Amino acid sequence: MSMNSLQTPLNTLPSEAFSRAGADSPSAAESLSEAGIMVTAASMPAGPADDLVLEVRHVCGGYKSGGFFGRGGSYKEVIHDVDFVVRHGEILGLVGESGTGKSTLAKMILGLLKPEKGEIIHYTKRPQIIFQDPYSSLNPAYTVEWTVEEPLRVFGKYDAAERKRRVREMLERVDVPEEVFQAKPDELSGGQRQRVSIAAALIRRPRFIIADEPVSALDVTIQAQILKLLKDLRTELDLSYLFISHDLNVVYQLCDRVLVMKQGRIVEQGTVEEVFDHPQQEYTKQLLAAAE
Amino acid sequence: MKKKMNGYLMAGLIITGVLLLMTLIGAFYTPYDPTVMSAREKFNAPSFAHLFGTDNFGRDIFSRVLKGSGTTVFIALSTVVIGAVIGTAVGAVTGYFGGFIDEVLMRMNDALTAFPSILLALVVISILGPGSRFNLILALGIVFIPGFARVTRTAFASLRDRNYVESARLMGASSARIMLIHMLPNIFSVLFPALTIGFNNAVLAEASMSFLGIGVTPPDASLGYMLSEAQGMIVAAPWYAISTGLMIILLVFGAGLIGEGLQRSGNSTEL
């Protein structure tokens, strides 16, 4: 299996592929392929792969630990032969008990962890993530405005005035009040922190977002507001989501399709109606029963 | 990091502030020339004319203490800066990247730590040549690297997997940018106390080195050198040893209080 070759999906013109993949950040393609992930971009004309944003093909992976001078040590496989796609514009739920490998899978998709086997193919710009814990996802040393501006500074294509304009526009869009633009994270509420995280994730206009339990740490009323915001932003900014959650009620409300994960394997997948109303697997039935 | 005032910090800042002001003034003005001898005024006890008395050559000890403190503070600060900058860089790289580079650099660090610090400084001085204050600074600076490296390595390693660091990696920020801009401000709560402790140790190390005669040499005077002079006349002019020793104690005490105060007021949620 060739991990480092650049794979081109059907009907894709290479030049176009690069112009899209490279539109966001020239380093994105490099660093993703460094992580053993192939980066390609979807073709603009209609084709079989046209409506995909992500393809995960028979991926296995996990964590290495110990070892002397990087040699030896043990390897614990967490993800076993996971295979699925994310389609353009959908919210794909990923459910399962905690410790089942959901976040590990997210790390692999983001390129923070290298898969041992299989391929992860991106058809859009580098994805961004919204983390569960709004307390550790924002840098405590910096203000809200700095945090949201940082991805643009790193990107380096806009001058200071243009960056500021985009930051303000995005913060206003996600309903962060202007009084807290200069506040540090420890002065914000959990909901505000999560809105700032969303703004920072979206500021470079990615097309694909991984939301790792984005509302689990929030009060129920705030949860509903954040979920509505995510849903509205999907249409406005033409986003697709991989929505990781252990809360089946939230998944039922929000998602179009759902993957059920158990001990690092996808045991069932389908539309939310199929899976929730007619679960095929015993494990899915147990999960649903527990969520009643 | 939120800094809340507390008694330790306040007392430390006052003591250190007064001492630093005195040494700063001492650099430009002293009541007497600290090197001018006067046969008529040998071993004078403290008086209004000579606040701390005079020594065996009739030199004004107060003026000498002012000048000597300046030398000591300059050497201690330079030492800490060298140790902190290199040590923090080493700690950042090893803590952030881990793996092979971590093993190599930390084993080198262990090797440095394995020598008693004074012995290590002696070795470096004997290689570089004694008698120069810059060689002394360099030698002590090298001695201080491992401590800073260890403290900052732990801090960087514990921040490495924070979500905001992963976010920075995802946005394509360079490793240097992540370490310097995203992580470094969050380790100030461990770096500042380490700096004050480092300053203390540097004052004491300079004093020990000069006391042993391998630090500052005449006509340059430092507190450590003066203390070794004072030892010879501890009976004839006890005020010399007392005033010099007191100055060392106050310098160390003041910086120690600042360190303690910073640690107590430091942000307890981070690190």
Side-chain angles (χ1 to χ4, degrees):
Chain A
M1 193 204 48
S2 57
M3 298 272 277
N4 290 316
S5 66
L6 194 81
Q7 231 202 21
T8 312
L10 295 168
N11 296 351
T12 301
L13 301 168
S15 59
E16 203 164 31
F18 269 101
S19 68
R20 259 189 90 187
D24 180 48
S25 147
S27 69
E30 281 165 40
S31 29
L32 280 176
S33 61
E34 251 168 46
I37 293 171
M38 270 149 290
V39 179
T40 49
S43 55
M44 289 305 180
D50 188 38
D51 72 330
L52 295 184
V53 295
L54 175 77
E55 222 178 322
V56 174
R57 286 189 191 158
H58 303 289
V59 161
C60 301
Y63 297 98
K64 291 190 179 87
S65 63
F68 183 68
F69 281 97
R71 284 165 199 281
S74 59
Y75 166 66
K76 187 170 179 292
E77 189 163 287
V78 179
I79 302 294
H80 316 286
D81 194 26
V82 164
D83 195 81
F84 67 91
V85 297
V86 179
R87 299 209 175 89
H88 178 195
E90 78 173 343
I91 304 184
L92 177 63
L94 176 60
V95 301
E97 292 166 320
S98 47
T100 191
K102 304 189 296 287
S103 295
T104 309
L105 184 59
K107 277 190 181 181
M108 285 200 274
I109 294 170
L110 291 164
L112 295 172
L113 190 68
K114 193 178 161 139
E116 282 301 307
K117 283 186 206 148
E119 307 166 349
I120 295 173
I121 306 168
H122 290 268
Y123 294 96
T124 63
K125 291 181 196 176
R126 168 182 273 225
Q128 289 296 323
I129 186 165
I130 301 164
F131 289 105
Q132 168 179 14
D133 177 13
Y135 292 86
S136 76
S137 57
L138 300 178
N139 194 326
Y142 292 103
T143 64
V144 166
E145 200 170 21
W146 188 95
T147 298
V148 179
E149 194 183 340
E150 178 65 0
L152 293 180
R153 261 192 301 268
V154 170
F155 183 37
K157 291 270 164 67
Y158 304 114
D159 62 20
E162 173 65 10
R163 288 199 304 263
K164 206 121 274 182
R165 192 188 67 73
R166 285 177 177 248
V167 167
R168 297 200 153 249
E169 188 185 74
M170 184 56 80
L171 282 171
E172 277 158 22
R173 174 60 198 92
V174 299
D175 293 323
V176 174
E178 195 166 355
E179 306 89 85
V180 302
F181 282 9
Q182 300 304 326
K184 300 261 178 83
D186 61 358
E187 300 161 51
L188 304 182
S189 68
Q192 281 175 337
R193 284 169 194 242
Q194 208 54 305
R195 288 172 193 277
V196 173
S197 300
I198 292 170
L202 294 179
I203 191 74
R204 259 166 35 182
R205 301 297 159 94
R207 311 304 292 273
F208 176 39
I209 294 287
I210 296 177
D212 189 358
E213 308 255 12
V215 295
S216 306
L218 304 174
D219 294 342
V220 180
T221 47
I222 311 291
Q223 273 193 8
Q225 292 170 13
I226 299 286
L227 290 175
K228 179 165 187 310
L229 177 66
L230 289 174
K231 214 165 184 170
D232 293 346
L233 289 169
R234 163 169 70 158
T235 16
E236 267 171 57
L237 302 176
D238 191 24
L239 297 169
S240 314
Y241 292 108
L242 177 65
F243 188 89
I244 301 173
S245 182
H246 65 267
D247 187 336
L248 296 184
N249 293 316
V250 167
V251 170
Y252 190 75
Q253 282 173 48
L254 190 73
C255 297
D256 305 307
R257 286 194 310 129
V258 62
L259 307 169
V260 181
M261 199 164 179
K262 183 195 180 188
Q263 287 165 7
R265 291 175 203 281
I266 305 284
V267 292
E268 185 158 359
Q269 60 176 302
T271 64
V272 167
E273 290 75 21
E274 280 167 12
V275 173
F276 278 63
D277 298 341
H278 309 287
Q280 301 300 307
Q281 297 289 321
E282 199 49 44
Y283 180 70
T284 315
K285 288 176 191 165
Q286 283 171 16
L287 274 184
L288 288 167
E292 288 294 315
Chain B
M1 188 176 67
K2 269 214 157 45
K3 287 190 204 81
K4 282 181 226 78
M5 263 300 161
N6 57 39
Y8 291 93
L9 194 55
M10 188 73 98
L13 286 174
I14 290 171
I15 293 175
T16 308
V18 169
L19 292 179
L20 286 183
L21 196 67
M22 278 170 61
T23 56
L24 204 65
I25 293 170
F28 300 103
Y29 168 80
T30 48
Y32 297 86
D33 185 330
T35 54
V36 162
M37 304 176 191
S38 161
R40 250 189 284 169
E41 294 182 297
K42 275 197 249 178
F43 297 125
N44 278 6
S47 64
F48 284 112
H50 299 284
L51 279 178
F52 291 170
T54 59
D55 67 1
N56 56 334
F57 296 120
R59 295 177 297 194
D60 178 49
I61 292 173
F62 183 63
S63 303
R64 287 182 67 70
V65 166
L66 282 185
K67 259 287 194 279
S69 306
T71 310
T72 296
V73 167
F74 173 75
I75 291 173
L77 283 179
S78 313
T79 298
V80 169
V81 167
I82 292 177
V85 169
I86 301 178
T88 303
V90 170
V93 167
T94 56
Y96 179 69
F97 289 110
F100 185 72
I101 188 155
D102 182 28
E103 297 282 346
V104 172
L105 285 172
M106 287 323 280
R107 291 302 80 79
M108 285 166 63
N109 214 42
D110 289 349
L112 278 183
T113 319
F115 289 99
S117 50
I118 290 291
L119 185 64
L120 180 61
L122 271 170
V123 171
V124 179
I125 288 271
S126 59
I127 295 170
L128 296 172
S132 142
R133 69 159 74 179
F134 292 103
N135 288 353
L136 179 63
I137 288 169
L138 203 59
L140 291 177
I142 291 171
V143 170
F144 279 83
I145 292 171
F148 282 104
R150 226 170 323 111
V151 167
T152 50
R153 175 183 176 273
T154 314
F156 273 92
S158 80
L159 291 183
R160 179 175 59 186
D161 295 323
R162 292 289 162 100
N163 288 339
Y164 62 82
V165 176
E166 291 197 336
S167 294
R169 229 171 282 155
L170 277 178
M171 66 178 81
S174 65
S175 298
R177 185 177 181 88
I178 292 174
M179 287 187 275
L180 271 174
I181 294 180
H182 291 257
M183 297 171 89
L184 188 61
N186 291 302
I187 72 150
F188 284 161
S189 61
V190 297
L191 195 56
F192 282 147
L195 283 172
T196 58
I197 295 166
F199 176 78
N200 277 352
N201 291 336
V203 167
L204 294 174
E206 186 282 322
S208 327
M209 301 288 284
S210 298
F211 186 84
L212 294 173
I214 42 171
V216 171
T217 46
D220 235 358
S222 75
L223 292 176
Y225 175 76
M226 286 157 60
L227 203 58
S228 78
E229 272 186 341
Q231 189 197 20
M233 52 189 101
I234 191 97
V235 178
W239 44 85
Y240 194 5
I242 291 171
S243 55
T244 312
L246 203 63
M247 195 67 190
I248 294 177
I249 291 171
L250 282 176
L251 272 175
V252 171
F253 187 57
L257 284 176
I258 294 178
E260 180 72 23
L262 283 175
Q263 226 151 19
R264 283 171 190 251
S265 73
N267 190 340
S268 52
T269 57
E270 275 296 301
L271 299 167

